[in-house]
Amino acid sequence: NAGVTQTPKFQVLKTGQSMTLQCAQDMNHEYMSWYRQDPGMGLRLIHYSVGAGITDQGEVPNGYNVSRSTTEDFPLRLLSAAPSQTSVYFCASKTVGTENSPLHFGNGTRLTVT
Amino acid sequence: GDSVTQMEGPVTLSEEAFLTINCTYTATGYPSLFWYVQYPGEGLQLLLKATKADDKGSNKGFEATYRKETTSFHLEKGSVQVSDSAVYFCALSDPTNAGKSTFGDGTTLTVKP
């Protein structure tokens, strides 16, 4: 019953450092996505993917890269961390082909950039 | 573009009170509508959904009806419990927008004994 697994749960970075947030799902979902959650701003879509080898930008993609080499994994890379990237990051997945499929979320990664 | 507007919070209620959290949406297509709930320290999880006009989604005593004429999907519960304290998000999935989901800002509910 793993579902969507995110690692790490917490991370502190210094400005300019790089890191990768990991996301893996075991439900064979084609669609995977990354959101950031900030107080009073709900969830904002960073990047998403509708299948292996396919990625696209969401609402707030700047400063983040993604790749999708397998169906299961969808890592999010911060190339040069900035304090504005302090946030809680959620990975979510769902099946495609039916628009009423709900998203399945991981438990989040809380990132602090100093 | 798509958007979801939720009733601003936080909302504080006494146990057994009636709950309404308002949600209205704008979409270019004919979206599916969802309510998600987030408990402290966890990710969001689906509470209920509705996929077409006049559909009623329900789960754990919560209900919401898809109203196309008013573009609304208000969440209701007749008698809240302390365990319902959480953040509630209204969301839509637009089939004309690559199935991407758009979320409201969330409403924090606190239920006091």
Side-chain angles (χ1 to χ4, degrees):
Chain A
N1 269 4
V4 178
T5 302
Q6 289 184 239
T7 56
K9 291 186 178 181
F10 301 93
Q11 183 70 49
V12 179
L13 291 178
K14 295 186 187 302
T15 297
Q17 287 184 317
S18 63
M19 79 159 294
T20 299
L21 279 63
Q22 302 292 343
C23 175
Q25 53 91 10
D26 62 359
M27 297 172 284
N28 204 32
H29 286 167
E30 302 94 335
Y31 182 99
M32 296 186 74
S33 55
W34 279 101
Y35 289 86
R36 58 178 290 171
Q37 182 179 27
D38 301 293
M41 303 186 76
L43 277 77
R44 292 183 290 170
L45 182 64
I46 304 171
H47 286 284
Y48 67 100
S49 168
V50 297
I54 305 169
T55 64
D56 208 344
Q57 296 181 350
E59 181 184 355
V60 288
N62 292 341
Y64 307 95
N65 276 359
V66 292
S67 60
R68 184 93 180 271
S69 57
T70 66
T71 299
E72 294 79 18
D73 301 299
F74 191 46
L76 178 72
R77 297 183 185 84
L78 281 70
L79 305 176
S80 178
S84 61
Q85 293 178 307
T86 293
S87 187
V88 181
Y89 292 85
F90 288 100
C91 180
S93 69
K94 68 175 182 177
T95 59
V96 297
T98 53
E99 67 275 10
N100 58 0
S101 299
L103 285 166
H104 296 256
F105 284 82
N107 282 336
T109 295
R110 184 175 295 275
L111 175 68
T112 303
V113 182
T114 62
Chain B
D2 298 341
S3 68
V4 175
T5 302
Q6 265 183 256
M7 163 183 173
E8 290 188 16
V11 175
T12 301
L13 295 173
S14 297
E15 207 165 22
E16 299 184 4
F18 185 85
L19 168 71
T20 299
I21 301 177
N22 291 337
C23 171
T24 58
Y25 68 90
T26 303
T28 53
Y30 195 359
S32 294
L33 302 175
F34 304 85
W35 277 101
Y36 291 86
V37 59
Q38 183 182 31
Y39 298 104
E42 298 183 7
L44 283 70
Q45 55 186 276
L46 177 69
L47 179 60
L48 53 84
K49 68 179 184 182
T51 60
K52 60 183 187 295
D54 300 325
D55 263 5
K56 179 185 282 187
S58 61
N59 186 27
K60 300 180 181 179
F62 291 89
E63 294 183 338
T65 301
Y66 191 143
R67 300 289 187 199
K68 189 168 183 287
E69 64 277 11
T70 55
T71 61
S72 65
F73 193 55
H74 305 321
L75 182 68
E76 296 181 337
K77 186 175 186 183
S79 177
V80 294
Q81 305 301 312
V82 172
S83 57
D84 294 327
S85 298
V87 183
Y88 293 82
F89 290 90
C90 186
L92 66 82
S93 175
D94 190 338
T96 67
N97 193 15
K100 289 187 288 186
S101 295
T102 301
F103 288 82
D105 289 346
T107 301
T108 300
L109 170 66
T110 301
V111 180
K112 296 189 173 181

